[in-house]
Amino acid sequence: MADVKTSPAVEAGLTALAVSLRGVTKAYDNGVMALGPLDLAVRKGEFISLLGPSGCGKSTALRIIAELSAPSSGTVRVARHAGEAQPGHVQPGHGIGFVFQEPTLMPWTSVRENVRLPLRLAGVPKAEARARADEALASVGLADFADAYPRELSGGMKMRVSLARALVTDPDILLMDEPFAALDEITRFRLNNDLLALWRALGKTVIFVTHSVFESVYLSQRVVVMTARPGRIQADIRIETVEPRGEEFRTSAAYSDYCRKVSAALAPSYSGQSTL
Ligand SMILES: Nc1ncnc2c1ncn2[C@@H]1O[C@H](COP(=O)(O)OP(=O)(O)OP(=O)(O)O)[C@@H](O)[C@H]1O
Ligand SMILES: [Mg+2]
């Protein structure tokens, strides 16, 4: 992951930033121009959503931030905490937790072992890793399922395990790529509320990709709307409301107004797109 290495003047501005993308583009080897130029600044502790049509480069942007993919041009800066270089405590992903759309759990081993995996890879001693895995499972409401196998869990529970696995390394930044898209609405609402509670309690920076206008407005402090491919910023809408959010917000006039505003900002990104 790129360190925050800049001139003092720029650094002063970056201290409050978790992620900064400047003029970032991505052209894949097959010639597909997937992204950008994209400029995006995310403050530490902020919860933002990325919203945009299929194929506009949302996953590509997350992968670039996580350094799973290199940008073709532009600069990527990600601020991370300092204490991660301790031997035996090096965190894979360098302070970044990634939650994918599919929970991608290892079916042959327990929930606890699935959550412990990133710590095992980082060489964290077994007893400590086990305790931290159990703590992460408790934080997502699965304390009683540490010994269960993935096949014994519902879709929502599997996604909770995936979230616990992303949290177990105590990352500064949580990248979430349509994590709740496959869940029924009630489970999704519940996970939305639990995610907000965790965000408030843990103070992480969250970048959340979704196709749902409703979900983006409910969760985020800012909704960043992207254009069709190659994805650029179409609109950046701040969602100001009373915190903490709950069912009252979801049924409020302010919520519908924001949803309308975000939908209107999104409409041009879909114009001219095939509906096939
Ligand atoms: N490894 C790859 N090689 C070539 N092209 C790719 C690769 N990964 C993605 N693409 C292309 O880049 C574009 C952006 O893909 P990306 O997965 O970032 O979109 P997305 O916004 O996440 O879409 P969705 O909402 O459907 O998940 C698409 O046209 C896709 O086909
Ligand atoms: Mg995607």
Side-chain angles (χ1 to χ4, degrees):
M1 185 61 51
D3 269 319
V4 179
K5 269 188 268 155
T6 49
S7 68
V10 178
E11 213 161 90
L14 277 175
T15 53
L17 291 184
V19 174
S20 163
L21 305 183
R22 296 236 168 274
V24 168
T25 66
K26 177 72 183 184
Y28 283 106
D29 291 345
N30 60 2
V32 169
M33 192 62 193
L35 192 68
L38 187 69
D39 294 292
L40 178 68
V42 185
R43 281 184 294 110
K44 283 180 182 166
E46 201 172 19
F47 194 131
I48 77 152
S49 284
L50 290 183
L51 198 62
S54 188
C56 78
K58 303 179 294 297
S59 298
T60 300
L62 288 194
R63 290 174 59 78
I64 287 173
I65 292 167
E67 222 186 38
L68 296 169
S69 173
S72 302
S73 63
T75 56
V76 180
R77 299 195 190 286
V78 179
R80 295 174 275 120
H81 64 266
E84 64 195 48
Q86 224 177 319
H89 291 74
V90 178
Q91 295 175 358
H94 298 273
I96 290 187
F98 210 126
V99 180
F100 300 93
Q101 181 170 352
E102 298 295 329
T104 58
L105 304 178
M106 301 178 290
W108 59 86
T109 190
S110 70
V111 163
R112 179 185 291 112
E113 287 307 302
N114 270 280
V115 174
R116 191 170 73 94
L117 179 68
L119 299 178
R120 211 174 78 197
L121 295 174
V124 175
K126 192 169 179 181
E128 182 193 335
R130 197 182 150 97
R132 283 171 64 181
D134 284 355
E135 197 183 317
L137 280 168
S139 76
V140 299
L142 287 181
D144 294 339
F145 290 86
D147 295 316
Y149 281 80
R151 65 173 176 274
E152 299 171 295
L153 306 182
S154 69
M157 289 160 88
K158 283 183 193 153
M159 197 38 83
R160 285 176 192 274
V161 176
S162 173
L163 183 55
R165 185 181 51 195
L167 290 172
V168 78
T169 53
D170 193 23
D172 298 309
I173 301 166
L174 202 51
L175 305 177
M176 305 184 78
D177 198 353
E178 299 190 54
F180 308 143
L183 304 177
D184 69 85
E185 200 168 70
I186 300 294
T187 305
R188 190 169 182 162
F189 284 0
R190 213 168 271 163
L191 277 158
N192 284 168
N193 287 336
D194 291 352
L195 175 61
L196 279 182
L198 274 170
W199 170 67
R200 277 193 299 272
L202 303 175
K204 312 255 177 241
T205 306
V206 181
I207 305 181
F208 188 96
V209 168
T210 178
H211 277 284
S212 165
V213 169
F214 303 108
E215 186 172 53
S216 72
V217 171
Y218 186 69
L219 291 174
S220 331
Q221 295 180 303
R222 260 167 71 205
V223 177
V224 174
V225 176
M226 291 172 67
T227 65
R229 194 184 70 225
R232 283 152 287 123
I233 306 292
Q234 169 95 308
D236 192 331
I237 298 167
R238 184 161 290 283
I239 313 294
E240 314 229 27
T241 180
V242 182
E243 302 281 353
R245 297 176 190 190
E247 290 315 307
E248 223 166 275
F249 176 52
R250 213 191 273 281
T251 52
S252 69
Y255 178 68
S256 337
D257 287 348
Y258 277 125
C259 290
R260 213 171 294 127
K261 195 170 166 187
V262 171
S263 295
L266 193 58
S269 305
Y270 280 87
S271 67
Q273 280 212 338
S274 162
T275 50
L276 288 177

